Amino acid sequence: DTKIIKIDNDHIDSTKLKEAVDILKNGGLVAFPTETVYGLGADGLNKDASMKIYAAKGRPSDNPLILHISSMKALDDLTKGDSSLGRKLAQAFWPGPLTLIFNKSEKVPLTTTGGLDTVAVRMPSHPIAYELIRQSGVYVAAPSANTSGRPSPTTAGHVIEDMDGRIDMIIDGGKADIGLESTIVDVTGEIPVILRPGFITLEDIERVTGEAEYDRSLFQKPSTENFKPKAPGMKYRHYAPKGQLTIYEGESRNVIQAINKEAAKKQSEGFKVGIIATDETLSSYENGIIKTIGTRKDEKTIASGLFRLLREFDTEQADYIYSESFYDNPLGQAIMNRLLKAAGYHIEKI
Ligand code: TXA
Ligand code: MG
């Protein structure tokens, strides 16, 4: 049975947290909130414990895990070779929503890295995540706490949907603030390479290191031949809602008109239709289940609303979902990366 406990972010009850700490130390699985999404944690240096993560998520075993740490000293333990570029970024952004890829030390098992000789490391800023890692004294391997292929969980309720009965404990610490997974940056080369866009942007990284770039595979469709992204997870169908999601690109007025037309058609054919609108456009849609993702005046609301909305449309059993696009803001790369994957790159240009 999965034990569900509530912990207040501002006043962490150490008796309650101790139970979670003990589970991790003993090789068990605990889901916990982070500032990005909920994570599914286990002792990352314990092979059996990390194997349990793959089983609980139904995750392919070549998809490596991120090790979560609470002190910079961990880098001496987990990495090998010149780590100066990564340390510079760590100084600037940790604790926070940034994952760094280093060359791994012998200590890190290949079961954790999916057979790679590099390791992903992140120091989260969420008080519950941070304290859990610190008090357990283990490096916590933690993917997002969803069933493989489903949208990442941003509330404990989402984790319960996917993981109840499959793991030892779920810590409910409220809503995950950012709502998109961490930015992943490969720091094994001369300049930082972004493998997964997130809340920390290319521009943020450039401000620290002078230079940075996106991995080229970020802009390729996974169906393309020879598609071999450096973050193995990026090759799997992700975040996919059960219905067919289509993204509409173009001038707002035209997008609304096109979505209204298509929604009316599908509804008349007897299908259940969902629409991803914004606060600004909510009242312009006419058919189906219309939900706002957030406001264009604050792109953070859009980032944090995306996975929640995709899950809500699953609950509503929408057959077709239509969405506006969200390129024109500082988090555009991160938001559209997830939305495009969720849509299986199904785009209508208007
Ligand atoms: O915000 C986050 O990063 C969340 C929270 C829980 O910290 N975690 C998360 O983990 O998103 P996960 O497992 O869902 O995504 C990790 C991604 C995968 O795409 C994986 O392929 C990539 O990181 N990754 C892990 N180790 C890697 C490595 N050594 N080289 C390249 N990519 C790696
Ligand atoms: Mg994930």
Side-chain angles (χ1 to χ4, degrees), residues 67 72-87 100-108 110 113 116-121 186-189:
L67 290 180
M72 288 289 258
K73 282 203 298 284
L75 290 182
D76 301 334
D77 239 8
L78 300 175
T79 73
K80 148 176 117 177
D82 180 10
S83 57
S84 54
L85 180 62
R87 283 172 190 267
L100 297 167
I101 308 290
F102 295 96
N103 289 310
K104 83 170 193 71
S105 71
E106 315 305 324
K107 259 194 193 172
V108 183
L110 290 167
T113 68
L116 297 175
D117 51 17
T118 52
V119 61
V121 188
D186 183 344
V187 290
T188 60

Side-chain angles (χ1 to χ4, degrees), residues 148-150 233 235-241 243-245 341-344:
S148 202
R150 289 212 73 199
K235 74 173 174 282
Y236 296 106
R237 178 129 193 249
H238 256 73
Y239 319 123
Q244 169 67 62
L245 170 63
K341 277 181 197 297

Side-chain angles (χ1 to χ4, degrees), residues 37-38 57 59 63 142-153 181 196 233 238-239 307:
V37 299
Y38 271 71
K57 279 181 64 83
R59 179 174 175 126
N63 192 358
S144 47
N146 52 290
T147 303
S148 202
R150 289 212 73 199
S152 294
E181 309 89 340
R196 180 174 72 184
H238 256 73
Y239 319 123
F307 289 146

Side-chain angles (χ1 to χ4, degrees), residues 221-286:
K221 266 196 214 179
S223 55
T224 317
E225 233 180 292
N226 296 323
F227 179 72
K228 282 202 194 71
K230 289 204 192 111
M234 304 297 272
K235 74 173 174 282
Y236 296 106
R237 178 129 193 249
H238 256 73
Y239 319 123
K242 290 171 189 140
Q244 169 67 62
L245 170 63
T246 305
I247 302 167
Y248 281 70
E249 287 181 19
E251 213 193 301
S252 177
R253 201 158 29 100
N254 301 337
V255 163
I256 291 166
Q257 203 174 47
I259 290 180
N260 275 335
K261 193 170 158 212
E262 190 60 24
K265 178 164 166 271
K266 282 290 188 294
Q267 226 176 21
S268 73
E269 292 167 6
F271 293 110
K272 208 158 183 189
V273 170
I275 293 175
I276 299 182
T278 57
D279 290 358
E280 288 75 21
T281 58
L282 194 60
S283 61
S284 307
Y285 292 104
E286 293 157 358

Side-chain angles (χ1 to χ4, degrees), residues 60-341:
S61 61
D62 70 342
N63 192 358
L65 305 171
I66 298 172
L67 290 180
H68 294 67
I69 63 172
S70 63
S71 143
M72 288 289 258
K73 282 203 298 284
L75 290 182
D76 301 334
D77 239 8
L78 300 175
T79 73
K80 148 176 117 177
D82 180 10
S83 57
S84 54
L85 180 62
R87 283 172 190 267
K88 203 166 165 182
L89 286 170
Q91 287 295 349
F93 298 111
W94 281 357
L98 176 70
T99 295
L100 297 167
I101 308 290
F102 295 96
N103 289 310
K104 83 170 193 71
S105 71
E106 315 305 324
K107 259 194 193 172
V108 183
L110 290 167
T111 39
T112 301
T113 68
L116 297 175
D117 51 17
T118 52
V119 61
V121 188
R122 167 162 119 81
M123 190 191 294
S125 63
H126 192 289
I128 293 176
Y130 188 85
E131 276 306 307
L132 181 65
I133 300 159
R134 196 181 67 80
Q135 292 185 26
S136 64
V138 304
Y139 303 130
V140 178
S144 47
N146 52 290
T147 303
S148 202
R150 289 212 73 199
S152 294
T154 57
T155 66
H158 297 162
V159 181
I160 295 168
E161 276 175 23
D162 286 13
M163 292 297 155
D164 197 18
R166 309 179 70 89
I167 63 179
D168 300 299
M169 180 178 269
I170 297 169
I171 303 177
D172 182 349
K175 196 168 154 285
D177 238 16
I178 294 172
L180 298 178
E181 309 89 340
S182 60
T183 307
I184 301 182
V185 181
D186 183 344
V187 290
T188 60
E190 297 281 302
I191 66 168
V193 181
I194 296 183
L195 308 186
R196 180 174 72 184
F199 185 79
I200 292 174
T201 63
L202 180 80
E203 290 73 26
D204 293 333
I205 292 164
E206 279 175 339
R207 245 172 264 130
V208 176
T209 60
E211 245 184 310
E213 64 186 31
Y214 288 114
D215 185 51
R216 282 184 46 213
S217 70
L218 275 179
F219 306 104
Q220 279 174 289
K221 266 196 214 179
S223 55
T224 317
E225 233 180 292
N226 296 323
F227 179 72
K228 282 202 194 71
K230 289 204 192 111
M234 304 297 272
K235 74 173 174 282
Y236 296 106
R237 178 129 193 249
H238 256 73
Y239 319 123
K242 290 171 189 140
Q244 169 67 62
L245 170 63
T246 305
I247 302 167
Y248 281 70
E249 287 181 19
E251 213 193 301
S252 177
R253 201 158 29 100
N254 301 337
V255 163
I256 291 166
Q257 203 174 47
I259 290 180
N260 275 335
K261 193 170 158 212
E262 190 60 24
K265 178 164 166 271
K266 282 290 188 294
Q267 226 176 21
S268 73
E269 292 167 6
F271 293 110
K272 208 158 183 189
V273 170
I275 293 175
I276 299 182
T278 57
D279 290 358
E280 288 75 21
T281 58
L282 194 60
S283 61
S284 307
Y285 292 104
E286 293 157 358
N287 300 288
I289 309 155
I290 306 157
K291 291 174 184 282
T292 175
I293 188 171
T295 168
R296 287 191 188 268
K297 295 191 186 106
D298 180 3
E299 70 275 8
K300 289 198 213 67
T301 61
I302 293 172
S304 77
L306 176 59
F307 289 146
R308 174 179 51 82
L309 234 58
L310 292 177
R311 277 183 182 260
E312 285 178 15
F313 282 123
D314 276 356
T315 309
E316 307 260 13
Q317 298 186 299
D319 300 302
Y320 291 92
I321 306 162
Y322 304 105
S323 178
E324 302 174 11
S325 46
F326 307 97
Y327 288 102
D328 303 333
N329 69 75
L331 295 181
Q333 286 293 346
I335 296 165
M336 291 310 295
N337 172 266
R338 308 317 191 273
L339 194 59
L340 282 161
K341 277 181 197 297

